[in-house]
Amino acid sequence: MAHTPLLAKPHTFYVRPAPGWLDLLEGEATQILESPLQKYKFVPKISYLQGVVKVHRCDWRQGLELLFRTTIAHDMEWLVSEFSCGSWSDLEKGLARTRWAEILPENVKTAHIAVNLHQGFTSGTAKLRTLFCNLTGIGHSTGEDEQRIKCELRGNRFRILISMAGRPLYQRGYKTVLSAIAPLPEHHAAACVRWVMGDPHKSAPVKNIYIPFAGSGTLGFETLLVLSGAGVGAFDRSFACESFPFNSRATLAFLRKRISQQLKHIKPTPTVVWNDINSQAIQDLQKNIDGFPAPAHHQVESGDFFQFLPNFSGSDPILLLLNPPYGDRLAKKTVPTRLFSQIGKQINIIFEKYKGQLRVGCICPDEMTWRAVISNVPSEKSETRHFTHGGKDMRLVRWGSVE
Ligand SMILES: C[S@@+](CC[C@H](N)C(=O)[O-])C[C@H]1O[C@@H](n2cnc3c(N)ncnc32)[C@H](O)[C@@H]1O
């Protein structure tokens, strides 16, 4: 019996968020799917499934668009196959039905194969992986393979998922220099920006951005990305799915072009003031700014945040985003609560200067530093939310007048 070509079928994708940002990812995915850049064959549906956003009945090409336009996702997986599986022989039959030759490029001999088993007929992870490798002819590799395959057995359902991204989506590829200090991963930064900005349809467009403690610049670059409405496909990185043999080359080329153009058209052109005390960080930041494709007026200020006040003209909204140092990044003898309390006071000074214009988001690494900040914020209501970074419970507090 002839198969329906893969491009002509509806597909299911699992979109995985930066940890702690599922609701925001759902909002982002909905917005992307409801504003398609071209016509698609099916109308996709969104639902939640154990910490992921599940998109079903989706045109393959629209799946590509979602991948290229997301900013908050960590990965997007394509559900290649799903079948009922209560024994080794069910597994063998199911794997034999999967159209591997159409899915993976001929030259793929190895992939990273993850196995997740939960209350199924077996708990033998190693045995299952070996069988999968024998039946598919794909070897398991723990290296930096572009192809990542997941085998999941939950009860009697067996699923095979392939990563559309390959390398995680926070690896954007826009930084010329990666700072020695571990920065906030890009997808977390994008989520922080989105949450602090609130609903872009309700707020006045952000014209001014102030990024103290800038480091390699992640928060500032992700702000420009979010303002442009583009996504990870705007940058010079590859995606594992680009090598799938059945893929639509025309759609890939169209999306690359459209989304990178979108990044170059932020209206109005924002002004970004960056600040860092470390001269090496400033040099690296400048190189990253020079290589970043979005338009902006940049002002880079080397020096102490507590000694500097930015100068924005006019009464346009200002977005102030802070990722202050913590843990190993703190200078010796610095008392974290004292530093964050000082930060709260300095933000008050900026508030006084720009009454009614300022929207602030400050990342706090724990409860003590968070308390130190919020005990100093102006009387306007502040809101806090939690996210997980490197296994650590982080807080992001937002407040201010722009909405
Ligand atoms: C947590 S890192 C920022 C990481 C940054 N978000 C990134 O993506 O690379 C903190 C940065 O604050 C800078 N810093 C520390 N104390 C400062 C101060 N008093 N004024 C300005 N910058 C400071 C450090 O040099 C460091 O680059």
Side-chain angles (χ1 to χ4, degrees), residues 175 179 181-186 211-219 275-279 281 301 303-306 322-326 329 331 339 363:
K175 281 189 187 164
S179 150
I181 307 164
L184 183 70
E186 282 72 359
I211 310 286
F213 307 107
S216 60
T218 316
L219 269 177
N275 159 257
D276 202 287
I277 204 165
N278 181 306
S279 54
E301 291 291 332
D304 190 348
F305 167 64
F306 302 105
L322 306 100
N323 179 22
Y326 54 87
R329 293 172 228 167
L339 172 71
I363 297 171

Side-chain angles (χ1 to χ4, degrees), residues 325 327-336 338:
D328 295 346
R329 293 172 228 167
L330 283 171
K332 273 196 191 122
K333 295 196 184 141
T334 303
V335 179
R338 201 172 299 153

